[in-house]
Amino acid sequence: MILFPTRRRSRRAGAALLCLAAATAVPARAEPLAFDAALQQLQQRSDHLAASRYAVESAQLRRDAMQRLGGPVVNLSGAAYTYNANLDVDLNPLNRLLPGVLSQLPAPLAGSLAQMPHLPSSYTLNRSKSDTTASVSAVWPLYLGGATQAARGLLDAQTQEAGADADKTRDEVTTVLVQRYFGAQLAERAAALREAALSTIEQHDAAAQKMLDAGVIARVERLQARTALEEARRNARKARDDAELAATALTRTLQAGDRVTPTSPLFVLNGPVEPLPYFIDTALARHPGLAKVAAKKEQATQLHAAQEALRKPQVFAFGQRQLKTGRDADWVAGVGVRWTLWDSIDRNTLAESSNRQIEQAERTGAQARSDIALLVEKRWLALEQARRAYLAQAPSLELADEVLKLRTAGLKAGTSTTLDLIDAQVNQAKAQTERAQAAHDYVKALADLLEACGLSEDFGKYMARADALRVE
């Protein structure tokens, strides 16, 4: 807030005026930009908004990827292989049984076989082969107890949470833009008032020198004017630096190449905005924080449903077949059932845990609704206070204008002093600056109220309604 000390007819009147002075330093290049255009540019260039959009898109893509969750899964497998296998066969038992077998044969046949060489004690079999194999298999879950629906519901809730975060970011970024855009307007207007006051100080300094040369004023009065001028120059540089910093903040917020010069003036609505119940009802329906709490509750609900699904049997169909022609291709098909009868995890306790999460989300939502309603009421009252403060300053500004006219005429007629005129000029600048500050407070309060209601995108509509009370 820009403050001015109370002016008195004293030697400190000139020093008080210095708070209004400024030295100008206009950049060579500037980009005039209305607020609507600035908001559009911010939506296109803001890294915060882009990050929130990517978060929503990522969540939505995850949900899309799980659209067919629970459907059939078909796998194709193949292999190329080669092997070499050796098998040692022990022939000693056969050698021991062979004499007994020969004794039971007819004598001629047994005699001819008896002259055959004995079998070796062991024999090694060797087999090697290279081949390929391929098969196709499929599994189709028929019943999973609702697990797939719970998984998709969880992803839907996560997408809703990302959307709520994106809405919150959008509202916050819009409020920041309002503060920096109209803050730059206020700083520039304050600098302009200081520039006008500095010009007046310079005129009085020159007049004081002439009056000193003519012997009309004392040297101490001349030194007071000189001191006031030097202090005005210092304050003028500071005022211009503040205006430049505000313009730089706005330019960087918009990520513009050239310095941005705001052209949409400060404004105030002549009448009050919609009544408080309208904004409370809107906030309870649209506030991103409530949408996020609702998404958290839905996630907890779906997690509970998924845990309950694990208690139920799972039914699935399956099949597999070799990829080869002919009747000798191997294949299998059937229906399977899986039901966990005992698990090392305590499912009952786990279900109670998920129920507590649901209750937590419900209580959090109730508290959030109460807090948001209170916040909206607080900001609505702040907006009304700012509007009334702005309108209440009209008589003060009119009085300051009239006093300045009287002091100017009185100086020419010899009924007023130079300090009287300086006092009147300072009071006029003070009234103008305080009026601009009140308009800035109103604009900021309006942006805060709309953010609390999830209506930040409607700021331009309220600005369009204030044509009759634009603060130039």
Side-chain angles (χ1 to χ4, degrees):
M1 178 177 291
I2 301 171
L3 301 176
F4 288 81
T6 303
R7 304 306 195 267
R8 296 180 302 171
R9 294 184 180 182
S10 65
R11 296 179 179 179
R12 290 183 292 179
L17 179 61
L18 300 178
C19 297
L20 301 172
T24 59
V26 181
R29 300 181 63 184
E31 179 185 356
L33 200 64
F35 179 80
D36 290 342
L39 181 58
Q40 183 178 4
Q41 183 170 314
L42 178 68
Q43 292 172 347
Q44 295 173 350
R45 299 180 180 179
S46 172
D47 292 330
H48 288 167
L49 293 178
S52 64
R53 285 194 298 267
Y54 287 138
V56 175
E57 292 174 4
S58 175
Q60 185 60 54
L61 290 173
R62 283 198 305 270
R63 173 59 180 86
D64 295 342
M66 298 298 175
Q67 180 62 36
R68 294 188 296 272
L69 182 65
V73 178
V74 179
N75 295 316
L76 178 65
S77 59
Y81 62 91
T82 182
Y83 70 89
N84 180 69
N86 294 313
L87 177 62
D88 291 333
V89 180
D90 186 7
L91 298 180
N92 288 325
L94 183 59
N95 286 329
R96 289 194 294 269
L97 293 174
L98 189 58
V101 173
L102 293 177
S103 63
Q104 298 177 9
L105 295 176
L109 180 58
S112 61
L113 292 176
Q115 297 179 3
M116 293 179 61
H118 290 285
L119 296 175
S121 61
S122 64
Y123 183 78
T124 301
L125 298 176
N126 176 268
R127 183 175 178 82
S128 62
K129 184 179 180 181
S130 296
D131 202 352
T132 61
T133 182
S135 63
V136 59
S137 61
V139 176
W140 191 339
L142 302 178
Y143 176 75
L144 297 179
T148 55
Q149 293 86 344
R152 285 193 289 266
L154 176 62
L155 293 174
D156 285 334
Q158 291 176 345
T159 303
Q160 295 169 6
E161 181 182 1
D165 289 337
D167 292 340
K168 182 175 183 291
T169 300
R170 179 202 61 201
D171 292 344
E172 290 175 347
V173 167
T174 302
T175 301
V176 170
L177 175 63
V178 170
Q179 294 174 353
R180 294 185 178 178
Y181 185 95
F182 292 101
Q185 280 281 35
L186 177 62
E188 185 62 33
R189 181 164 179 78
L193 290 172
R194 286 172 169 80
E195 291 167 0
L198 176 59
S199 177
T200 302
I201 289 288
E202 291 173 341
Q203 294 174 8
H204 287 302
D205 180 74
Q209 181 62 45
K210 293 179 181 180
M211 294 172 70
L212 177 64
D213 295 339
V216 178
I217 62 174
R219 180 174 177 79
V220 65
E221 295 180 7
R222 177 67 188 95
L223 291 177
Q224 289 174 350
R226 179 71 59 83
T227 301
L229 178 61
E230 293 302 322
E231 187 176 354
R233 287 172 178 168
R234 290 194 300 269
N235 289 338
R237 285 192 292 269
K238 181 180 183 303
R240 179 51 56 187
D241 289 343
D242 291 342
E244 290 294 330
L245 180 60
T248 300
L250 175 61
T251 301
R252 292 186 177 178
T253 299
L254 297 175
Q255 300 183 8
D258 300 327
R259 172 185 164 177
V260 174
T261 300
T263 58
S264 298
L266 292 162
F267 65 90
V268 176
L269 271 68
N270 187 34
V273 294
E274 291 82 359
L276 177 60
Y278 165 80
F279 287 103
I280 291 180
D281 293 342
T282 303
L284 296 180
R286 299 190 52 173
H287 194 281
L290 294 177
K292 182 170 183 176
V293 171
K296 288 290 189 181
K297 178 183 176 182
E298 182 63 18
Q299 292 177 39
T301 301
Q302 296 301 330
L303 284 174
H304 179 75
Q307 292 167 2
E308 291 300 305
L310 297 179
R311 299 172 179 264
K312 302 175 182 179
Q314 300 174 358
V315 182
F316 54 92
F318 64 92
Q320 184 176 14
R321 188 185 188 281
Q322 280 186 310
L323 294 179
K324 60 188 299 187
T325 59
R327 294 185 176 181
D328 56 346
D330 297 332
W331 63 271
V332 63
V335 176
V337 178
R338 182 177 182 273
W339 194 353
T340 302
L341 301 178
W342 175 259
D343 197 343
S344 58
I345 299 175
D346 189 341
R347 297 292 176 185
N348 293 328
T349 303
L350 200 60
E352 286 299 320
S353 174
S354 59
N355 282 328
R356 295 297 187 273
Q357 288 182 330
I358 296 175
E359 293 174 0
Q360 176 192 7
E362 291 176 348
R363 294 301 182 91
T364 302
Q367 184 63 47
R369 292 173 68 87
S370 176
D371 292 343
I372 288 173
L374 180 60
L375 177 64
V376 170
E377 183 173 359
K378 177 182 177 181
R379 292 185 174 181
W380 186 87
L381 291 174
L383 180 64
E384 278 301 293
Q385 291 172 0
R387 183 183 68 87
R388 289 193 294 266
Y390 176 85
L391 296 177
Q393 290 176 354
S396 299
L397 183 59
E398 184 178 357
L399 175 62
D401 294 340
E402 289 299 322
V403 171
L404 179 59
K405 291 178 182 179
L406 290 175
R407 297 308 184 201
T408 302
L411 185 62
K412 294 179 180 179
T415 58
S416 298
T417 66
T418 302
L419 290 179
D420 291 335
L421 181 58
I422 291 176
D423 227 11
Q425 290 169 336
V426 168
N427 286 333
Q428 184 193 47
K430 173 179 177 291
Q432 292 173 343
T433 304
E434 287 179 348
R435 191 166 171 83
Q437 179 69 58
H440 177 266
D441 293 342
Y442 179 87
V443 169
K444 183 178 180 299
L446 176 61
D448 291 339
L449 174 62
L450 295 179
E451 179 186 346
C453 299
L455 293 173
S456 292
E457 69 273 15
D458 291 345
F459 182 86
K461 298 178 182 178
Y462 287 90
M463 184 170 63
R465 289 165 51 183
D467 290 335
L469 276 179
R470 288 184 179 272
V471 183
E472 303 291 350

